Amino acid sequence: MLEKAGDSFSLAKCYDLAVEEYEKAEAFAKCLSACTEGKLFEFGFELLGRFREWGGAKLEFLRKGAHYYFLMKDFKSMMKFVHSFNEKDDMRSFLSKRRCFDQLIFLEKEWVNFEEAAKVARRKPDPVLEADLLQMGGFNRESSLVILWHVFSNSLIFQNVKELFTKDELLLMAISNARIDSNVFYQFVCKEAEILSHEKTTEEELLEKGLEFIYCYKENDLAMSLERVKTTHEIKKIETNVLDLICFFLKSANRLNKLLLLHEVYGEFVEAAKIGNEEHSIESALRSLWYVFFGSLWACGRRAWPLKDFKHKTKLLDDAYAYATDHLDSEDSALVHREIHVLSGEEISLSQMWRYLKETPQEISLRIRFLISRRILDVHLSSHCKVYASVETQVEDETLNHLEDRLKENIVSVEGLIYFWNSWKEMICELINWSPTYHQGCKSSKIHDAFIENYFGVRKYDEDKPGRYVVLDAEAQWVKQTRPFIIRKGYLHIILAHQFSSAVSRYWCSELRFVAEKVFGKLQSLHAYSTEKNLSMHQQTNILTCFFEFVKSLRKCKISEHARLIVADKYSQLCVDPFSWNVSHINWKYAQSKEMMRIRRNQTFLNMLKEAIDIKTKSLKGLSCEQLGRISVVLLGYKLICFNADTERKLRCCSINWKILFRKLRNRDRSVSKSEHLARSIHNILKETYSAGWQEGNDCMSPACFLYLMDRLQILSFCSRGYVFTTRSSCVEWLSYGECGMGSNGGSATSLDTMKNIHHSLASMVIKMLNSPDELMEWLRRSNELESSYPILILRLTVLLSLICANSELHYDHLYHQLGRDCIISSLPSEFSVTLINGMKEDHLVDAVAVACKMIDNPLVIASAKEDFPKVPCAKFLNIKKPEVDEESLIEMLYHDPEAQESAAPLLSN
């Protein structure tokens, strides 16, 4: 009955009576509803205190009551209701939605939550209060920064309001709070406060001070990390607004030079290119390309190479292209087209890049030559080793012509790698040489100066007072590495000329080392690939020769001594042993191929050979028999007559036979007597080595060198009669020596007897070696030769014995006996041995030797100094007495195909 009575009063809007009846009936929800409807919030609030069981109706009533008093602007009563909310988040939500920030701040302070209170103060906004609250909460850094930004934002220029009367007090407060934090932070705040305390002078100065404040702030990582003060986006927006104000001022004041520098510093290159230039003019196009080059190098703060994309790059290239399109007949147009193509990052063929390189002299555009050289070098560095392996080695005198032919066909080669390394390296060395004189303004260095300014993105700060430069991109990698020497003046970063010169030199040296390591790595890969895939010896040797040329070029570079030593050490480990092995290889097909003979005439090859010997003998106290053998081979076949002082000293300390041999080898006397004397010396060496145990001990001459000396002795011992039978491989070595003395009258009786004794001795050595197969195998092992070389060794000894027989017309029985032994026959090509046996049976050994040698691709050669010499089918005839033909031409003739040799007769015929 009581609840129904309350309902009746409520319908009649007699809410006070309705509340009494509901209270008696303990209908608490309806009681609060009636209080709400009748605005009896104080009475309802008292009821809440008297009873506890209100459920969800209580919070709803409190919210409505608080809202009522909010509308009535009775904030004291409102807060009484808000305080009764059960949850803090409910209180925050209620006050925040109604922007009752003072009340919310009061609550947060009451809860000792100063950080949240400060956030509310920011929404108010009240920066001074925010700073106070942050300081109360112990957030001294944030407090200082909030004050600084408050002073900055309320300066005269930005808000057009009266100067803050309390500015000095606020700045002192910021400094005081910072002092509590740390000395580093304190120094930063003092610096910013000093900028903001600048007295009003001109509008331009105030604007520049504003930018200086922002720059200083952005440079402080700690300040930038406190995003509760200002986010990166907010700072960027403020900075943009200040820049717009400065640009507007500079335009209105017609300060174009300063406006240009401002745009450049802030990376607004499209606008910068237009300042002071007509649209689509050559000046505008070249300035656009200047920005593209500099921007592409240092975008994203990374290392300069390779070129990268950046904001507005496409637009800048399009603007430059518009000029080139509008002025097709201009010489500048062609240059602009080339630069656009190179800077765009598009793929360009090797042939096209080579054409650009030839068409653009350094004085026209060092920028193009630098970019093209580096891009071609990159193509070589990124190409797979198998691409290199497919290219035939060419080492003629006209190397550049052959290189150009390959580039026109878009082919990379190891010679191309070295050529463009040297080209790029020389360019860098020139730049290093100019860098120390950069600030002196040498007239002859203007091209290099302009390039360096463009590459590193710097501008002269004051044309009237040289010695300082503005850095356009403070985030460029080279700038980060030079940070201690950068002076900031407002929004500009300044570097003194001598510091810039040092930075440039350091950078180029670093870049030189970086690229050198890549070239070194590529040559290592090529060397490893050539060995793994068993490429031809001339290809392997050519790679090693290029390796040597690369290392030699590094020695001249201005890189650290430590780096040079590391490269030289790695080079010695990688190249010297394989190279030394190749120059005296046991297999004539490799060592005396046509391509190898061409390589051997290359001066770089000869220089490397000399250095290889010097390196190999450097660590030895004395020269080993193996070393002496290699040196003798080099002197006999490579026209080298001197080594370094250390090697020469060791040569003077060897045995008497070796000293006599080396003395005669260096005596370039082209005579028959010289050949006879040399034959005696070589014979003495072979006897000394043979009698000491050619296959025993750790110190023995290698099989390749021993056979080389035996081959040469076989030729020299028959020279006095006017002609000699030999093989092409032995003949080209003899001709390479360059002193081919040969008689035509048979020689004296004494010399003939001496030579005859040598023939017998040589034949005896060969026969004993063929009779000792186990010792031959052990010899190969001790000399680090592959066991697979054993058949080659047997074949060479058999050929040598056959030649002795053919020249002396003796020892046939020994040859026949050897060809009847299974251990010999099994190591020889079957047709080869059968041909020799049949020849002896038919008493036509010389003819058989010619046929057999042709079978093994080492044709028989009859070298003669007489007009009447034996005519042998399948043999090559060489007249070495023709004065108009030099040794190199004779060697070339020996490799001609039969069809191509008719025109060479009677110098050479079959």
Side-chain angles (χ1 to χ4, degrees), residues 279-346:
E279 190 173 4
H280 298 172
S281 65
I282 181 61
E283 291 80 9
S284 177
L286 292 178
R287 189 183 288 174
S288 294
L289 294 175
W290 196 98
Y291 297 139
V292 171
F293 180 46
F294 152 65
S296 299
L297 287 169
W298 304 105
C300 308
R302 300 174 188 165
R303 66 175 301 113
W305 196 263
L307 299 181
K308 297 164 283 292
D309 288 332
F310 65 95
K311 183 182 177 183
H312 303 318
K313 178 175 179 176
T314 303
K315 173 62 176 168
L316 289 165
L317 289 172
D318 288 344
D319 289 348
Y321 184 77
Y323 164 79
T325 305
D326 292 347
H327 303 81
L328 293 176
D329 297 332
S330 168
E331 290 183 8
D332 294 326
S333 174
L335 177 65
V336 170
H337 265 299
R338 284 198 291 272
E339 295 223 21
I340 291 171
H341 196 192
V342 175
L343 288 166
S344 66
E346 296 177 13

XYZ file of all heavy atoms in Angstrom, residues 279-346:
559
model
N 62.345 29.225 -65.731
C 61.862 27.849 -65.832
C 62.451 27.187 -67.082
O 62.527 27.777 -68.149
C 60.328 27.833 -65.891
C 59.749 26.439 -65.746
C 58.231 26.454 -65.641
O 57.637 27.552 -65.763
O 57.652 25.379 -65.460
N 62.890 25.943 -66.933
C 63.465 25.136 -68.024
C 64.738 25.757 -68.591
O 65.040 25.586 -69.773
C 62.447 24.907 -69.146
C 61.240 24.158 -68.700
N 60.131 23.982 -69.503
C 60.960 23.531 -67.532
C 59.225 23.288 -68.838
N 59.710 23.005 -67.641
N 65.483 26.497 -67.766
C 66.757 27.051 -68.224
C 67.865 26.048 -67.932
O 67.706 25.129 -67.121
C 67.052 28.371 -67.503
O 67.244 28.141 -66.120
N 69.025 26.219 -68.588
C 70.150 25.313 -68.364
C 70.624 25.426 -66.922
O 71.024 24.429 -66.299
C 71.308 25.615 -69.358
C 72.473 24.639 -69.110
C 71.779 27.049 -69.234
C 72.151 23.200 -69.300
N 70.575 26.649 -66.363
C 71.011 26.823 -64.974
C 70.106 26.035 -64.025
O 70.589 25.379 -63.091
C 70.992 28.303 -64.593
C 72.039 29.154 -65.276
C 71.634 29.539 -66.705
O 70.460 29.268 -67.081
O 72.482 30.090 -67.431
N 68.804 26.110 -64.273
C 67.861 25.367 -63.438
C 68.056 23.859 -63.581
O 68.022 23.115 -62.602
C 66.423 25.736 -63.812
O 65.498 24.983 -63.064
N 68.307 23.393 -64.824
C 68.513 21.960 -65.074
C 69.764 21.453 -64.368
O 69.743 20.405 -63.710
C 68.605 21.693 -66.575
N 70.867 22.208 -64.496
C 72.121 21.777 -63.880
C 72.038 21.817 -62.354
O 72.611 20.959 -61.672
C 73.275 22.659 -64.363
C 73.636 22.500 -65.850
C 74.749 23.461 -66.239
C 74.053 21.056 -66.155
N 71.294 22.800 -61.838
C 71.137 22.843 -60.382
C 70.281 21.667 -59.906
O 70.567 21.063 -58.859
C 70.491 24.169 -59.956
C 70.511 24.358 -58.437
C 69.806 25.617 -58.018
N 70.564 26.824 -58.367
C 70.102 28.057 -58.206
N 68.863 28.237 -57.727
N 70.830 29.100 -58.535
N 69.278 21.307 -60.685
C 68.454 20.135 -60.340
C 69.310 18.875 -60.302
O 69.193 18.050 -59.382
C 67.314 19.956 -61.352
O 66.399 21.027 -61.286
N 70.189 18.729 -61.293
C 71.063 17.547 -61.342
C 72.075 17.570 -60.196
O 72.460 16.514 -59.683
C 71.789 17.480 -62.690
C 70.880 17.239 -63.899
C 71.684 17.320 -65.190
C 70.183 15.890 -63.795
N 72.500 18.767 -59.802
C 73.385 18.908 -58.636
C 72.704 18.317 -57.406
O 73.311 17.547 -56.653
C 73.688 20.389 -58.429
C 74.851 20.724 -57.547
C 76.107 21.032 -57.941
C 74.852 20.820 -56.108
N 76.906 21.311 -56.840
C 76.167 21.186 -55.707
C 73.888 20.620 -55.120
C 76.514 21.364 -54.377
C 74.244 20.784 -53.785
C 75.539 21.162 -53.429
N 71.412 18.666 -57.231
C 70.669 18.161 -56.075
C 70.429 16.658 -56.180
O 70.472 15.944 -55.178
C 69.330 18.885 -55.948
C 69.453 20.368 -55.687
C 68.608 21.286 -56.321
C 70.407 20.871 -54.813
C 68.714 22.651 -56.087
C 70.524 22.229 -54.567
C 69.676 23.117 -55.210
O 69.793 24.459 -54.972
N 70.165 16.178 -57.383
C 69.901 14.743 -57.560
C 71.146 13.929 -57.185
O 71.051 12.906 -56.496
C 69.469 14.428 -59.006
C 69.402 12.912 -59.233
C 68.113 15.053 -59.308
N 72.306 14.378 -57.634
C 73.552 13.663 -57.342
C 73.801 13.631 -55.835
O 74.005 12.562 -55.240
C 74.715 14.346 -58.057
C 76.053 13.699 -57.845
C 76.214 12.320 -57.957
C 77.165 14.474 -57.525
C 77.459 11.732 -57.750
C 78.408 13.886 -57.321
C 78.548 12.511 -57.432
N 73.766 14.792 -55.219
C 74.029 14.878 -53.788
C 72.973 14.117 -52.979
O 73.289 13.351 -52.068
C 74.085 16.366 -53.401
C 73.691 16.664 -51.985
C 74.437 16.192 -50.930
C 72.566 17.436 -51.722
C 74.075 16.475 -49.626
C 72.204 17.725 -50.426
C 72.953 17.237 -49.373
N 71.701 14.310 -53.353
C 70.622 13.648 -52.615
C 70.646 12.143 -52.761
O 70.387 11.405 -51.805
N 70.961 11.657 -53.967
C 70.986 10.211 -54.205
C 72.107 9.528 -53.426
O 71.994 8.352 -53.076
C 71.173 9.922 -55.700
O 70.115 10.463 -56.457
N 73.169 10.265 -53.173
C 74.298 9.671 -52.446
C 73.988 9.484 -50.964
O 74.253 8.429 -50.396
C 75.537 10.562 -52.600
C 76.222 10.563 -53.969
C 77.247 11.688 -54.036
C 76.907 9.219 -54.233
N 73.415 10.511 -50.340
C 73.350 10.509 -48.880
C 71.951 10.317 -48.324
O 71.733 10.504 -47.119
C 73.942 11.815 -48.351
C 75.340 12.039 -48.823
C 75.759 12.901 -49.784
C 76.513 11.340 -48.390
N 77.110 12.810 -49.973
C 77.605 11.855 -49.125
C 76.750 10.332 -47.456
C 78.902 11.388 -48.940
C 78.039 9.878 -47.280
C 79.099 10.399 -48.021
N 70.987 9.932 -49.153
C 69.615 9.728 -48.673
C 69.585 8.696 -47.546
O 70.344 7.722 -47.559
C 68.725 9.283 -49.834
N 68.708 8.928 -46.580
C 68.457 7.985 -45.472
C 69.652 7.833 -44.540
O 69.682 6.900 -43.722
C 68.056 6.608 -46.004
S 66.699 6.652 -47.192
N 70.648 8.718 -44.647
C 71.776 8.659 -43.731
C 72.684 7.472 -43.913
O 73.465 7.128 -43.025
N 72.594 6.807 -45.072
C 73.424 5.623 -45.317
C 74.712 6.011 -46.025
O 74.927 7.163 -46.369
C 72.643 4.610 -46.174
C 71.352 4.128 -45.518
C 70.574 3.262 -46.476
N 69.244 2.946 -45.957
C 68.267 2.448 -46.691
N 68.463 2.206 -47.963
N 67.090 2.178 -46.154
N 75.581 4.986 -46.277
C 76.813 5.246 -47.004
C 76.460 5.697 -48.419
O 75.384 5.396 -48.935
C 77.737 4.041 -47.015
C 77.262 2.835 -47.751
C 78.332 1.733 -47.786
N 79.541 2.180 -48.404
C 80.689 2.335 -47.766
N 80.766 2.043 -46.484
N 81.775 2.762 -48.392
N 77.370 6.394 -49.041
C 77.047 7.111 -50.276
C 76.644 6.188 -51.421
O 75.732 6.511 -52.176
C 78.240 7.970 -50.695
N 77.331 5.068 -51.570
C 77.083 4.221 -52.740
C 76.358 2.963 -52.306
O 76.666 2.418 -51.259
C 78.416 3.872 -53.423
C 78.239 3.344 -54.810
C 78.211 2.030 -55.185
C 78.028 4.106 -55.997
N 78.005 1.923 -56.524
C 77.886 3.184 -57.055
C 77.935 5.464 -56.268
C 77.669 3.591 -58.364
C 77.713 5.861 -57.570
C 77.585 4.934 -58.601
N 75.372 2.481 -53.088
C 74.945 2.967 -54.401
C 73.966 4.139 -54.311
O 73.521 4.481 -53.214
C 74.253 1.728 -54.984
C 73.684 1.031 -53.782
C 74.687 1.225 -52.691
N 73.652 4.709 -55.467
C 72.696 5.814 -55.517
C 71.338 5.334 -55.037
O 70.944 4.193 -55.270
C 72.576 6.355 -56.943
C 73.852 6.934 -57.571
C 73.550 7.440 -58.972
C 74.428 8.052 -56.718
N 70.607 6.231 -54.372
C 69.317 5.872 -53.786
C 68.239 6.867 -54.231
O 68.546 7.943 -54.729
C 69.435 5.877 -52.254
C 70.417 4.843 -51.724
C 70.824 5.110 -50.296
C 71.831 6.221 -50.176
N 73.151 5.893 -50.733
N 67.000 6.485 -54.031
C 65.881 7.398 -54.293
C 65.671 8.279 -53.067
O 66.010 7.905 -51.941
C 64.605 6.611 -54.586
C 64.642 5.948 -55.950
O 65.330 6.477 -56.843
O 63.993 4.896 -56.119
N 65.106 9.439 -53.280
C 64.774 10.329 -52.173
C 63.605 11.205 -52.603
O 63.189 11.200 -53.770
C 65.989 11.181 -51.772
C 66.450 12.149 -52.838
C 66.026 13.469 -52.839
C 67.303 11.726 -53.853
C 66.448 14.352 -53.822
C 67.732 12.600 -54.838
C 67.295 13.914 -54.825
N 63.079 11.945 -51.666
C 61.913 12.794 -51.925
C 62.203 13.787 -53.048
O 63.239 14.446 -53.051
C 61.542 13.539 -50.638
C 60.301 14.413 -50.757
C 60.066 15.137 -49.438
C 58.866 16.081 -49.518
N 58.679 16.835 -48.258
N 61.316 13.856 -54.009
C 61.378 14.810 -55.130
C 62.445 14.478 -56.174
O 62.667 15.283 -57.079
C 61.597 16.254 -54.636
C 60.564 16.752 -53.676
N 59.212 16.507 -53.863
C 60.676 17.467 -52.525
C 58.541 17.061 -52.861
N 59.395 17.641 -52.038
N 63.107 13.319 -56.064
C 64.137 12.984 -57.056
C 63.530 12.925 -58.454
O 64.096 13.476 -59.415
C 64.797 11.647 -56.709
C 65.853 11.206 -57.733
C 66.561 9.942 -57.295
C 67.597 9.498 -58.320
N 68.374 8.324 -57.883
N 62.394 12.256 -58.567
C 61.742 12.124 -59.879
C 61.363 13.488 -60.439
O 61.550 13.754 -61.637
C 60.491 11.236 -59.767
O 60.878 9.960 -59.243
C 59.834 11.049 -61.123
N 60.848 14.360 -59.583
C 60.444 15.696 -60.021
C 61.649 16.491 -60.519
O 61.577 17.177 -61.556
C 59.767 16.423 -58.849
C 59.448 17.892 -59.099
C 58.476 18.087 -60.259
C 58.111 19.564 -60.393
N 57.391 19.842 -61.665
N 62.762 16.402 -59.808
C 63.979 17.110 -60.220
C 64.483 16.606 -61.572
O 64.887 17.387 -62.441
C 65.067 16.938 -59.164
C 64.858 17.688 -57.840
C 65.794 17.156 -56.772
C 65.058 19.191 -58.029
N 64.461 15.287 -61.768
C 64.891 14.717 -63.047
C 63.947 15.135 -64.172
O 64.382 15.427 -65.290
C 64.957 13.194 -62.952
C 66.105 12.629 -62.087
C 65.942 11.128 -61.913
C 67.456 12.937 -62.710
N 62.652 15.175 -63.855
C 61.668 15.598 -64.868
C 61.900 17.051 -65.283
O 61.795 17.396 -66.470
C 60.237 15.435 -64.325
C 59.829 13.973 -64.223
O 60.506 13.124 -64.844
O 58.840 13.688 -63.528
N 62.204 17.906 -64.307
C 62.457 19.315 -64.614
C 63.696 19.461 -65.497
O 63.716 20.261 -66.446
C 62.647 20.116 -63.321
C 61.345 20.283 -62.555
O 60.282 19.982 -63.135
O 61.395 20.674 -61.377
N 64.745 18.673 -65.191
C 65.961 18.714 -66.013
C 65.671 18.181 -67.409
O 66.169 18.703 -68.407
C 67.071 17.904 -65.349
N 64.857 17.139 -67.476
C 64.504 16.547 -68.768
C 63.708 17.530 -69.634
O 63.862 17.560 -70.859
C 63.693 15.272 -68.548
C 63.351 14.538 -69.813
C 64.304 13.768 -70.475
C 62.069 14.621 -70.369
C 63.995 13.094 -71.647
C 61.753 13.964 -71.536
C 62.717 13.190 -72.174
O 62.402 12.531 -73.332
N 62.886 18.341 -68.971
C 62.095 19.335 -69.709
C 63.015 20.310 -70.434
O 62.760 20.696 -71.586
C 61.180 20.089 -68.745
N 64.123 20.696 -69.781
C 65.081 21.571 -70.450
C 65.700 20.855 -71.648
O 65.789 21.410 -72.744
C 66.192 22.008 -69.497
C 67.382 22.566 -70.248
C 67.374 23.870 -70.738
C 68.495 21.758 -70.524
C 68.437 24.366 -71.466
C 69.563 22.246 -71.252
C 69.529 23.546 -71.717
O 70.572 24.031 -72.462
N 66.149 19.619 -71.434
C 66.810 18.866 -72.505
C 65.868 18.679 -73.697
O 66.293 18.722 -74.859
C 67.278 17.515 -71.982
N 64.605 18.487 -73.425
C 63.621 18.300 -74.494
C 63.371 19.595 -75.253
O 63.191 19.594 -76.479
C 62.298 17.781 -73.901
O 62.563 16.594 -73.146
C 61.300 17.455 -75.005
N 63.375 20.710 -74.534
C 63.114 22.008 -75.167
C 64.310 22.545 -75.949
O 64.177 23.484 -76.727
C 62.712 23.040 -74.097
C 61.357 22.721 -73.492
O 60.652 21.865 -74.063
O 61.024 23.312 -72.449
N 65.508 21.973 -75.723
C 66.728 22.476 -76.380
C 67.509 21.318 -76.994
O 68.676 21.071 -76.648
C 67.610 23.221 -75.362
C 66.921 24.366 -74.684
N 66.067 24.178 -73.616
C 66.959 25.710 -74.916
C 65.612 25.358 -73.210
N 66.138 26.302 -73.983
N 66.872 20.590 -77.874
C 67.475 19.378 -78.446
C 68.754 19.665 -79.228
O 69.626 18.802 -79.338
C 66.460 18.668 -79.345
C 65.251 18.067 -78.623
C 64.267 17.489 -79.627
C 65.698 16.987 -77.642
N 68.862 20.860 -79.788
C 70.040 21.183 -80.610
C 71.222 21.677 -79.787
O 72.315 21.879 -80.317
C 69.667 22.259 -81.649
C 68.606 21.747 -82.617
O 68.568 20.514 -82.837
O 67.828 22.572 -83.135
N 71.041 21.853 -78.497
C 72.099 22.401 -77.651
C 73.070 21.304 -77.226
O 72.674 20.167 -76.985
C 71.481 23.059 -76.408
O 72.454 23.342 -75.455
N 74.364 21.656 -77.132
C 75.358 20.700 -76.618
C 75.065 20.368 -75.159
O 75.282 19.243 -74.714
C 76.759 21.292 -76.737
C 77.258 21.404 -78.179
C 78.677 21.923 -78.238
O 79.296 22.048 -77.164
O 79.166 22.178 -79.346
N 74.569 21.368 -74.437
C 74.218 21.131 -73.036
C 73.108 20.100 -72.920
O 73.045 19.348 -71.946
C 73.773 22.432 -72.363
C 74.915 23.436 -72.254
O 76.051 22.976 -72.069
O 74.656 24.639 -72.368
N 72.225 20.071 -73.904
C 71.105 19.130 -73.871
C 71.594 17.694 -73.841
O 71.094 16.864 -73.077
C 70.205 19.349 -75.091
O 69.197 18.367 -75.146
N 72.600 17.366 -74.663
C 73.143 15.996 -74.698
C 73.760 15.639 -73.355
O 73.594 14.512 -72.860
C 74.173 15.877 -75.814
N 74.476 16.598 -72.766
C 75.094 16.357 -71.461
C 74.031 16.106 -70.403
O 74.149 15.179 -69.589
C 75.960 17.556 -71.071
C 76.622 17.486 -69.690
C 77.629 16.344 -69.635
C 77.300 18.809 -69.355
N 72.978 16.933 -70.419
C 71.887 16.773 -69.441
C 71.219 15.416 -69.613
O 70.916 14.721 -68.633
C 70.865 17.922 -69.573
C 69.619 17.631 -68.748
C 71.489 19.242 -69.138
N 70.989 15.012 -70.869
C 70.386 13.701 -71.132
C 71.237 12.581 -70.527
O 70.708 11.653 -69.902
C 70.242 13.476 -72.644
C 68.895 13.858 -73.174
N 67.740 13.241 -72.744
C 68.511 14.771 -74.109
C 66.704 13.756 -73.389
N 67.149 14.692 -74.219
N 72.541 12.652 -70.727
C 73.436 11.613 -70.194
C 73.374 11.574 -68.666
O 73.297 10.510 -68.059
C 74.875 11.860 -70.657
C 75.125 11.482 -72.102
C 76.619 11.325 -72.392
N 77.334 12.586 -72.348
C 77.483 13.406 -73.384
N 76.943 13.101 -74.558
N 78.167 14.534 -73.262
N 73.419 12.765 -68.063
C 73.407 12.816 -66.600
C 72.095 12.273 -66.046
O 72.077 11.561 -65.038
C 73.644 14.250 -66.124
C 75.023 14.788 -66.469
C 75.646 15.543 -65.314
O 75.239 15.334 -64.160
O 76.561 16.340 -65.567
N 70.987 12.612 -66.696
C 69.686 12.105 -66.246
C 69.672 10.580 -66.299
O 69.230 9.906 -65.354
C 68.546 12.681 -67.111
C 68.380 14.180 -66.845
C 67.229 11.952 -66.835
C 67.440 14.877 -67.798
N 70.176 10.044 -67.408
C 70.187 8.587 -67.587
C 71.028 7.909 -66.511
O 70.629 6.887 -65.929
C 70.728 8.252 -68.980
C 70.428 6.856 -69.407
N 71.009 6.253 -70.498
C 69.611 5.918 -68.877
C 70.549 5.032 -70.628
N 69.699 4.796 -69.656
N 72.171 8.485 -66.216
C 73.076 7.879 -65.248
C 72.544 8.028 -63.820
O 72.618 7.102 -63.011
C 74.481 8.502 -65.359
C 75.395 7.968 -64.268
C 75.083 8.221 -66.725
N 71.985 9.202 -63.498
C 71.531 9.472 -62.136
C 70.188 8.842 -61.809
O 69.853 8.676 -60.635
C 71.439 10.989 -61.912
C 72.765 11.745 -61.805
C 72.538 13.243 -61.925
C 73.455 11.421 -60.489
N 69.421 8.493 -62.828
C 68.071 7.968 -62.599
C 68.077 6.610 -61.920
O 67.086 6.199 -61.327
C 67.321 7.858 -63.926
O 67.935 6.882 -64.764
N 69.196 5.898 -62.014
C 69.256 4.559 -61.436
C 68.777 3.477 -62.376
O 68.733 2.302 -62.009
N 68.391 3.868 -63.607
C 67.960 2.866 -64.580
C 69.132 1.969 -64.967
O 70.292 2.363 -64.871
C 67.439 3.554 -65.853
C 66.209 4.405 -65.648
C 65.806 5.114 -66.934
O 66.325 4.739 -68.007
O 64.983 6.027 -66.859
